[in-house]
Amino acid sequence: MNTISQAVYLTRLAKGLTQKELSVRTGIPQPNISQIEKGRDFKVSTLCQLAAALDVPVEDLIKGS
């Protein structure tokens, strides 16, 4: 798991969201969210969607904060 993937995972948990709920908020299929959290590569646009759905700045996910 890389820093961004771990930040997505931990932020999702901190917000009390399941992968399915995050999927609904982002429009990203749940299996893709699972793969992202496991460290699979993804587009910058996907990162922006995740940050918006998690209500955090993109920088927080990049820095892992």
Side-chain angles (χ1 to χ4, degrees), residues 8 12 17-18 22 26 33-34 37 43 45 48 53 56-57 62 65:
V8 170
R12 177 179 63 76
L17 297 171
T18 64
L22 185 55
T26 60
I33 291 179
S34 176
E37 290 183 353
K43 297 178 183 180
S45 60
C48 293
V56 296
I62 292 171
S65 40

Side-chain angles (χ1 to χ4, degrees), residues 31-60:
N32 291 26
I33 291 179
S34 176
Q35 291 300 310
I36 289 166
E37 290 183 353
K38 291 178 183 176
R40 189 189 89 195
D41 290 338
F42 53 93
K43 297 178 183 180
V44 173
S45 60
T46 301
L47 179 62
C48 293
Q49 286 176 278
L50 290 166
L54 293 168
D55 196 29
V56 296
V58 172
E59 295 81 18
D60 284 1

Side-chain angles (χ1 to χ4, degrees), residues 6-20:
Q6 186 174 19
V8 170
Y9 171 72
L10 293 174
T11 304
R12 177 179 63 76
L13 291 181
K15 300 281 182 170
L17 297 171
T18 64
Q19 287 182 351
K20 178 83 171 162

